[in-house]
Amino acid sequence: QLYGWRAIGLGVLIIFLIRAFRWLSGGRIYQDDGLSERAALLMIGVQLFTLFSLVKGYDASFAWLSLPLVYQIIGGLPQRRWPLPLAGVALILAVSLLPADSSKPLNPGVIASGIVLITSNIAVALFIRSMGKRHSQLRATIERLRQAYAALTIDAEHTEELGGIVMPAHIDR
């Protein structure tokens, strides 16, 4: 039953989760690292704690909200920082897959499908990250080509000017 402080707690946790998600996505991922690595780790920690609280205190289905967090971890943190937050996501998913009634056995099909789902989402996140890196590399290469073209254009203009100065002297002779 959702009433009183329990309903208010649910609302606060969901608002925390949404704000942390938007702050991390907007400040770290979409604005070229506008948010420090430390602040990004803090926001991921807030989201992990909030999701864990939602899963344990309200309903196991809140665990699936951790999938966007996988994308934030892989897209917004350096690779050396991935293990601990990804372990936190795995813990949340594992806790959510445990039966609420301890007398019921674990369902291997549910566990297998959860593993496949999280693995496929990690693979997609890695693919998106690699495409982003390639896009950045191509953008840098295009900028270098533009600079080289501008330099060649200036050199060609100087060569024409020098050719114009040398040519009349040669023709007079």
Side-chain angles (χ1 to χ4, degrees):
Q1 299 278 349
L2 274 180
Y3 56 89
W5 288 108
R6 187 162 165 75
I8 293 170
L10 177 63
V12 167
L13 288 172
I14 289 174
I15 289 170
F16 257 38
L17 187 63
I18 292 169
R19 293 292 298 156
F21 181 85
R22 291 192 65 192
W23 192 37
L24 179 62
S25 293
R28 182 77 182 172
I29 297 172
Y30 300 125
Q31 292 182 358
D32 256 353
D33 297 335
L35 188 65
S36 73
E37 185 178 315
R38 185 178 188 159
L41 284 168
L42 177 66
M43 283 300 99
I44 287 172
V46 166
Q47 289 181 77
L48 286 169
F49 176 76
T50 304
L51 283 170
F52 187 78
S53 299
L54 287 167
V55 167
K56 288 301 289 174
Y58 292 93
D59 193 76
S61 61
F62 281 110
W64 299 113
L65 293 176
S66 62
L67 290 178
L69 189 54
V70 168
Y71 290 88
Q72 286 187 326
I73 291 166
I74 292 176
L77 292 177
Q79 192 170 356
R80 71 183 191 287
R81 300 286 189 190
W82 295 354
L84 190 57
L86 287 176
V89 169
L91 174 68
I92 289 169
L93 289 172
V95 166
S96 74
L97 294 175
L98 295 174
D101 184 6
S102 60
S103 65
K104 291 183 180 179
L106 288 174
N107 184 339
V110 171
I111 293 171
S113 67
I115 291 170
V116 168
L117 184 66
I118 193 71
T119 304
S120 62
N121 275 276
I122 288 173
V124 169
L126 290 170
F127 174 75
I128 291 170
R129 182 179 172 102
S130 73
M131 293 284 83
K133 282 185 176 181
R134 288 192 179 163
H135 181 262
S136 296
Q137 291 170 344
L138 286 173
R139 191 173 6 165
T141 301
I142 288 171
E143 185 56 35
R144 286 194 302 270
L145 285 171
R146 284 184 181 143
Q147 291 171 354
Y149 177 75
L152 284 173
T153 303
I154 291 171
D155 284 347
E157 290 172 359
H158 285 263
T159 303
E160 285 179 17
E161 289 174 6
L162 288 177
I165 294 173
V166 173
M167 272 303 227
H170 187 288
I171 293 175
D172 287 342
R173 288 186 187 173

